[in-house]
Amino acid sequence: MAVDGKVTEGLTSVDESMLTGESIPVEKKAGDAIIGGSINKNGTIQYRAEKVGKDTALAQIIKLVEDAQGSKAPIAKLADTISGYFVPIVIVLAVLAGLAWYFMGQESWIFALTITISVLVIACPCALGLATPTAIMVGTGKGAENGVLIKSGTALEVTHKIQTIIFDKTGTITEGKPKVTDVLVREGLDPNELLLLAASAEKGSEHPLGEAIVRDAEEKQLSFLKPSAFNALPGFGIAVTIDGKELLLGNEKLMLNHAIGLGSFAETSHTLAEQGKTPMYIAMDGELAGIIAVADTVKASSATAIKKLRDMGIEIAMITGDNKRTAQAIANQVGIDRVLSEVLPEDKAEEVKKLQQGGRKVAMVGDGVNDAPALAQADIGIAIGSGTDVAIESADIVLMKSDLMAVATAVELSKATIKNIKENLFWAFAYNVLGIPVAMGILHVFGGPLLNPMIAGAAMSFSSVSVVLNALRLKGFKPSVSKR
């Protein structure tokens, strides 16, 4: 659909997953709104354009992304802050030490100059300057090795502070593609026979439910039959003749229109719907033959990853444009208590903002165009590598695989990197605290040796080398999942 508008006539099913996250196509009839960028699956409609250019829903999302990206505050650089105070203090100490030895110690000006040079050389803040960038360089490289692409040092630094992670549902927690979950048949009928008839009828279909049924039959290596008659019924389903059998495949309304009773399947279909599954009814020769249930299934790693993050003390929430019943069913499967359903793209960013205003550091994990504003608004946006370009562009971290365990890896890596940076800063600062008094001649006062500027230079270099070597220890980082 090129632009936003309203249906004037016709009936069709429209895939709005790009914007709403709803994995199952939505039925559209006269008077219903059309979102620009959504895809017409089957059926024919005429619709009147109401919003074009910068007024469309898609353009508004792009604007939200740009606004959110422009509002991010840069992180304060700890090493720069320390160096800002440290350097002038050292210069003052060096000059005072030289003057003190010259005037109070009755030493020559060469001796005093040697003291001043030794203090300046040994206190050169190279180690402080190397402490952060070396650790971040190794950390980002290690992230790439583990399938976590970190776009900036700031992202790596902030990730360890995350208190809440919001996951999008479709394509992030779930596979993003409907899959056959149940094949329920009347007594005396083989489930594979019903699946074969349904798949033969749906062969070549562009409807996600039909594609899921065909895919399941192909995986089971069933030999397809050729339909002798086919009639698409937009908004209801299809009517097909295969092998002499008159078949009707579609929703509950299709069965009611043809006076086909649901019998015991009525309660079964209600139970399936409660589980977030979409039932497709199949009638054969005027009688209900069974139900094939299709759902967007949860990724194998989702529940484990969410448990891991909760064990790390991080609050988990799920946000989706999908309906409340389906969203809650998915949340129950993966162990998420906080569910935000039927949320529009612009409202996703608002939900993130609400948490931030409560003083929490928030990460958002998503993969679609509808997630982009929230990814940009979050303190850390994490995009699935298989997602849309706009989501990847809006994110701070990109997961090269669809495995959500990589989110836990990113948090662990950030914590390990920050720990390493703090170690580097401690040793660099401690070295200067010990080295400066020696360079100022404190040992010489008590009859000990005087620090030669050349030795001070070697000691300064050694401190820089030790900081780099400590940063390289990060190369031994392994995610806790791998350790097991």
Side-chain angles (χ1 to χ4, degrees):
M1 307 293 185
V3 293
D4 294 6
K6 191 167 283 186
V7 179
T8 54
E9 62 177 85
L11 190 67
T12 190
S13 294
V14 176
D15 180 1
E16 295 181 341
S17 59
M18 180 184 75
L19 287 153
T20 65
E22 181 87 48
S23 54
I24 306 299
V26 182
E27 184 182 307
K28 297 289 181 181
K29 58 185 185 299
D32 288 343
I34 293 291
I35 303 171
S38 55
I39 300 167
N40 186 31
K41 299 303 287 187
N42 51 30
T44 305
I45 58 166
Q46 287 186 11
Y47 80 101
R48 182 175 62 252
E50 293 188 336
K51 292 178 182 176
V52 298
K54 64 179 188 329
D55 297 323
T56 65
L58 195 57
Q60 291 300 311
I61 288 173
I62 293 167
K63 186 177 183 300
L64 283 166
V65 171
E66 290 171 347
D67 291 347
Q69 284 176 331
S71 65
K72 280 193 173 178
I75 187 169
K77 296 285 186 279
L78 181 59
D80 291 349
T81 306
I82 293 171
S83 296
Y85 291 103
F86 179 75
V87 172
I89 289 170
V90 166
I91 291 171
V92 170
L93 287 175
V95 172
L96 287 176
L99 292 173
W101 279 106
Y102 184 72
F103 290 108
M104 297 169 65
Q106 300 297 311
E107 296 288 350
S108 67
W109 69 270
I110 294 177
F111 183 94
L113 185 60
T114 301
I115 291 288
T116 301
I117 292 170
S118 294
V119 173
L120 290 174
V121 170
I122 203 165
C124 180
C126 296
L128 281 173
L130 288 167
T132 303
T134 49
I136 285 175
M137 182 182 68
V138 177
T140 50
K142 203 64 194 172
E145 282 181 31
N146 287 279
V148 180
L149 185 61
I150 301 163
K151 291 187 179 181
S152 68
T154 302
L156 187 59
E157 287 182 66
V158 175
T159 304
H160 83 287
K161 297 178 183 176
I162 293 302
Q163 297 164 296
T164 303
I165 298 179
I166 303 173
F167 285 91
D168 170 53
K169 179 185 76 69
T170 309
T172 302
I173 290 175
T174 66
E175 294 288 355
K177 284 186 177 180
K179 186 178 179 182
V180 172
T181 56
D182 304 87
V183 180
L184 307 169
V185 296
R186 72 186 184 207
E187 196 173 342
L189 193 64
D190 180 35
N192 276 348
E193 182 186 350
L194 185 71
L195 180 64
L196 171 61
L197 290 169
S200 299
E202 292 283 4
K203 185 74 172 170
S205 170
E206 292 182 353
H207 196 287
L209 297 184
E211 288 174 346
I213 290 169
V214 171
R215 205 161 41 240
D216 194 55
E218 286 173 344
E219 286 171 5
K220 291 178 178 173
Q221 298 183 333
L222 300 179
S223 300
F224 289 86
L225 304 170
K226 192 172 182 180
S228 54
F230 181 94
N231 184 26
L233 308 167
F236 297 97
I238 55 174
V240 188
T241 303
I242 299 178
D243 204 20
K245 299 181 179 73
E246 299 288 335
L247 298 174
L248 289 171
L249 290 86
N251 54 27
E252 189 175 343
K253 286 189 288 184
L254 179 64
M255 299 297 115
L256 295 175
N257 285 356
H258 287 78
I260 295 170
L262 303 182
S264 61
F265 284 109
E267 189 177 338
T268 305
S269 64
H270 179 72
T271 304
L272 291 169
E274 285 291 331
Q275 295 169 357
K277 300 172 182 178
T278 302
M280 178 182 275
Y281 301 85
I282 298 107
M284 189 188 304
D285 297 327
E287 188 181 348
L288 188 64
I291 293 175
I292 295 179
V294 175
D296 186 7
T297 54
V298 171
K299 289 177 184 175
S301 65
S302 293
T304 311
I306 286 160
K307 183 180 183 303
K308 171 72 180 168
L309 290 165
R310 290 179 72 170
D311 290 345
M312 292 166 74
I314 298 171
E315 180 192 12
I316 306 296
M318 185 179 82
I319 195 165
T320 178
D322 220 334
N323 65 75
K324 189 173 182 180
R325 186 167 59 183
T326 303
Q328 193 58 57
I330 296 295
N332 292 341
Q333 287 182 55
V334 296
I336 294 177
D337 301 321
R338 188 169 185 174
V339 182
L340 303 165
S341 56
E342 299 175 11
V343 182
L344 297 172
E346 57 268 29
D347 294 334
K348 285 188 177 184
E350 279 301 315
E351 292 294 339
V352 171
K353 202 180 287 185
K354 281 180 193 173
L355 285 168
Q356 290 173 323
Q357 287 168 349
R360 299 190 72 80
K361 288 285 184 184
V362 182
M364 170 75 193
V365 186
D367 71 325
V369 173
N370 59 320
D371 302 318
L375 287 169
Q377 177 62 44
D379 295 288
I380 292 295
I382 303 174
I384 307 294
S386 57
T388 59
D389 289 347
V390 69
I392 292 169
E393 185 64 31
S394 304
D396 303 291
I397 296 173
V398 180
L399 309 182
M400 303 312 290
K401 298 175 184 174
S402 295
D403 189 344
L404 291 188
M405 285 307 295
V407 177
T409 299
V411 176
E412 286 181 339
L413 179 60
S414 176
K415 287 182 176 179
T417 304
I418 293 302
K419 180 172 177 282
N420 191 279
I421 289 171
K422 287 178 178 176
E423 287 170 358
N424 286 347
L425 290 172
F426 171 78
W427 288 115
F429 198 67
Y431 158 82
N432 282 300
V433 168
L434 293 172
I436 289 172
V438 174
M440 289 173 72
I442 194 79
L443 296 180
H444 193 64
V445 173
F446 301 101
L450 185 67
L451 188 66
N452 188 295
M454 289 188 291
I455 303 297
M460 181 272 292
S461 300
F462 177 75
S463 72
S464 300
V465 170
S466 63
V467 162
V468 172
L469 289 173
N470 187 54
L472 289 173
R473 288 195 309 110
L474 269 176
K475 289 181 76 69
F477 168 83
K478 285 184 180 178
S480 59
V481 191
S482 302
K483 290 175 188 172
R484 292 196 299 270

